[in-house]
Amino acid sequence: MFEYKSEVLVTTIKWVNDRANETDVSRLDDLINKRTEEGWEFVTYSYMANTAGIRSAILITFRKEK
């Protein structure tokens, strides 16, 4: 049985045409590595584009055994 944890990472800019901001990628790596050190396993992510704004977000889901 697993316990799940989801987090939202707000990007500094909207990612367009497969172009990601290096700062955002670094922040994403840091979050994944931090949670992994805490015993969480990365499961999935979803990019949530904001069509009206200049920023978007990434929904990241982790899991670990109970």
Side-chain angles (χ1 to χ4, degrees), residues 3-52:
E3 174 182 1
Y4 290 86
K5 174 183 183 111
S6 294
E7 296 188 46
V8 174
L9 180 69
V10 177
T11 63
T12 57
I13 62 169
K14 184 168 35 171
W15 296 4
V16 186
N17 298 332
D18 296 330
R19 293 185 191 147
N21 178 292
E22 287 187 36
T23 301
D24 291 335
V25 172
S26 178
R27 289 176 50 230
L28 178 59
D29 287 343
D30 290 345
L31 176 62
I32 291 171
N33 288 325
K34 181 178 179 182
R35 294 298 172 253
T36 302
E37 289 172 3
E38 296 171 352
W40 293 96
E41 175 186 359
F42 174 77
V43 177
T44 189
Y45 78 95
S46 177
Y47 180 65
M48 302 181 301
N50 180 349
T51 57

Side-chain angles (χ1 to χ4, degrees), residues 47-63:
Y47 180 65
M48 302 181 301
N50 180 349
T51 57
I54 59 171
R55 295 185 191 146
S56 295
I58 304 167
L59 175 66
I60 307 144
T61 303
F62 303 91
R63 74 178 183 183

